[in-house]
Amino acid sequence: MDSGKDDASRIMGKPMKKWTWRVLAPSVIILAAGIAIGFYCLSRDRKATALHVTGIIDGIEVNLSSKVAGRISRIRCDEGDKVQAGQVVITLESDDTKASMEQAIAGVERAKADVDVAEASIENGRANLLAAEAEVKGAAADLEKAGAQMEESKRQADRREDLYKKNLIAKESRDQSVTDHAVSVATYDSSREKLNAARSRRTAAAGQLNAAVSQWNSSKAKRKEAEANRAFFRSKLDDTSIVTPVTGTVIFKALETGEMVTPGTTVLTIVDLNSLYARVDIDETKIGRVVLNDKAFVRVDGAPGKTFEGRISEIGRYGEFATQRDVVRGREDIKTFRVKVRVDDPSGVLKPGMTVDVEFPWKP
């Protein structure tokens, strides 16, 4: 009996295990599939929520060079020093420029003296012209008076000649009237010559005045030319003091004190650390999801755990070099677009040239 029950139990037990497995197997498969799908979706969403790209920290660089040739007498900063906009950072020595400046100053002084002389000549010419005009007026009056006297003496002489012919006056009286008329004629002629001489002197005075005015105009033009020449060499002399146009940090010093510098040679390179940005290249397959002025986050190995917030300030309009060559599918090479992210770093941790990780959050 016992053995029969055991056999019955074994017989009944086998169907029970098969039934249980058939019931549980689909649930286990569904659960495993759900877990796999969940992990896949989670991984897919995680990839789709942000783009991580390696970039380089860059900034606005200013290369300071000289406009004139000379010897460096002093460099007022070293690499790593901070400088302020308008600060004199380099001083040059230029004997030629100084000598030219001194000559230009002397030229201006000479030109001013010439203008003063010309102005004095104008005043003198005006005075001479006024005097000549007064002399002409006086001579004209004398001539008019002499003419009247000459006419009167002529009438007297004619009248006495008629009386003499009638034996009404003596010969001496007639002769005296003839003599008086001859004197009045001589006086008239003399007055006429004086008037002509006065007119000549007036013409000469007017010519001298015109010459003085012309000299004055010429002197003023030369003074302006001398002043322009002085301004030119003053500008050259000012160029021996080189100032920085931006506030930033010196990252490179090419020359040292005592060395000669030629125009256009870079002496210092300054980076504006208040205008740093991360420069990255993004594939054309992802550039469509990068939007101007959107936020981005920058991280650097030198500051673990620290994140710098920034904004997309520039997106390249044209594709750059190709990063991937797709020959299998027969499509064109995948190109990149240059993107700049303006970074806010008041602590001064970021430095130009640092390699950084830039995160571009994407909206799901």
Side-chain angles (χ1 to χ4, degrees), residues 93-162:
E93 291 179 355
S94 181
D95 295 336
D96 293 341
T97 303
K98 288 182 179 179
S100 298
M101 182 61 185
E102 292 175 357
Q103 290 179 355
I105 293 174
V108 171
E109 296 301 323
R110 287 193 301 270
K112 287 182 177 179
D114 291 341
V115 171
D116 293 339
V117 170
E119 289 177 349
S121 297
I122 290 175
E123 294 299 325
N124 187 40
R126 286 173 178 172
N128 291 336
L129 182 58
L130 291 175
E133 289 177 347
E135 185 178 0
V136 168
K137 289 181 180 180
D142 292 342
L143 180 62
E144 184 179 359
K145 181 180 178 181
Q149 290 176 350
M150 183 179 65
E151 290 178 358
E152 180 61 25
S153 66
K154 180 68 169 62
R155 284 195 300 269
Q156 290 294 332
D158 290 344
R159 187 175 67 85
R160 291 187 179 187
E161 180 67 25
D162 186 57

Side-chain angles (χ1 to χ4, degrees), residues 180-226:
D180 292 341
H181 177 62
V183 171
S184 64
V185 171
T187 301
Y188 177 81
D189 292 338
S190 175
S191 298
R192 186 173 57 189
E193 293 297 329
K194 288 181 179 179
L195 178 59
N196 291 333
R199 287 173 176 172
S200 297
R201 284 191 290 272
R202 182 180 63 180
T203 302
Q208 291 176 355
L209 179 58
N210 291 333
V213 172
S214 298
Q215 182 63 33
W216 179 64
N217 290 330
S218 177
S219 299
K220 286 199 306 179
K222 289 181 179 179
R223 183 182 65 182
K224 288 184 179 180
E225 182 180 356

Side-chain angles (χ1 to χ4, degrees), residues 2-297:
D2 292 336
S3 61
K5 291 180 178 181
D6 292 339
D7 293 337
S9 298
R10 283 194 296 271
I11 293 171
M12 292 296 294
K14 288 180 180 180
M16 288 294 295
K17 289 182 181 181
K18 290 180 179 180
W19 177 83
T20 302
W21 172 250
R22 289 173 183 170
V23 173
L24 294 178
S27 299
V28 172
I29 293 173
I30 292 172
L31 179 61
I35 294 174
I37 293 173
F39 274 111
Y40 172 78
C41 293
L42 181 61
S43 174
R44 182 179 180 183
D45 291 342
R46 186 177 300 167
K47 291 181 180 178
T49 57
L51 170 66
H52 290 266
V53 184
T54 300
I56 299 294
I57 292 296
D58 210 341
I60 299 176
E61 292 187 2
V62 177
N63 295 319
L64 298 185
S65 59
S66 174
K67 295 181 180 179
V68 296
R71 187 182 302 277
I72 300 176
S73 62
R74 185 179 180 185
I75 299 181
R76 302 172 184 265
C77 53
D78 293 316
E79 292 184 2
D81 290 348
K82 292 185 177 181
V83 293
Q84 299 295 322
Q87 177 182 341
V88 177
V89 292
I90 305 168
T91 303
L92 304 178
E93 291 179 355
S94 181
D95 295 336
D96 293 341
T97 303
K98 288 182 179 179
S100 298
M101 182 61 185
E102 292 175 357
Q103 290 179 355
I105 293 174
V108 171
E109 296 301 323
R110 287 193 301 270
K112 287 182 177 179
D114 291 341
V115 171
D116 293 339
V117 170
E119 289 177 349
S121 297
I122 290 175
E123 294 299 325
N124 187 40
R126 286 173 178 172
N128 291 336
L129 182 58
L130 291 175
E133 289 177 347
E135 185 178 0
V136 168
K137 289 181 180 180
D142 292 342
L143 180 62
E144 184 179 359
K145 181 180 178 181
Q149 290 176 350
M150 183 179 65
E151 290 178 358
E152 180 61 25
S153 66
K154 180 68 169 62
R155 284 195 300 269
Q156 290 294 332
D158 290 344
R159 187 175 67 85
R160 291 187 179 187
E161 180 67 25
D162 186 57
L163 291 174
Y164 173 72
K165 288 179 178 180
K166 294 178 179 181
N167 295 320
L168 295 177
I169 61 173
K171 182 177 181 296
E172 291 80 3
S173 178
R174 186 204 65 175
D175 293 342
Q176 182 63 45
S177 64
V178 173
T179 302
D180 292 341
H181 177 62
V183 171
S184 64
V185 171
T187 301
Y188 177 81
D189 292 338
S190 175
S191 298
R192 186 173 57 189
E193 293 297 329
K194 288 181 179 179
L195 178 59
N196 291 333
R199 287 173 176 172
S200 297
R201 284 191 290 272
R202 182 180 63 180
T203 302
Q208 291 176 355
L209 179 58
N210 291 333
V213 172
S214 298
Q215 182 63 33
W216 179 64
N217 290 330
S218 177
S219 299
K220 286 199 306 179
K222 289 181 179 179
R223 183 182 65 182
K224 288 184 179 180
E225 182 180 356
E227 289 173 347
N229 191 47
R230 179 184 63 183
F232 173 77
F233 284 107
R234 178 171 291 169
S235 175
K236 290 291 186 181
L237 190 62
D238 291 341
D239 288 338
T240 59
S241 296
I242 304 175
V243 301
T244 170
V246 297
T247 298
T249 300
V250 179
I251 63 171
F252 179 68
K253 183 168 70 171
L255 301 175
E256 297 292 342
T257 299
E259 291 189 83
M260 291 296 298
V261 62
T262 57
T265 301
T266 298
V267 182
L268 294 176
T269 300
I270 298 174
V271 172
D272 185 0
L273 297 184
N274 295 324
S275 302
L276 293 179
Y277 59 87
R279 174 172 52 83
V280 299
D281 295 308
I282 298 180
D283 291 351
E284 59 181 318
T285 57
K286 303 180 181 65
I287 193 64
R289 303 187 69 174
V290 177
V291 181
L292 197 66
N293 294 323
D294 272 3
K295 287 185 178 180
F297 301 96

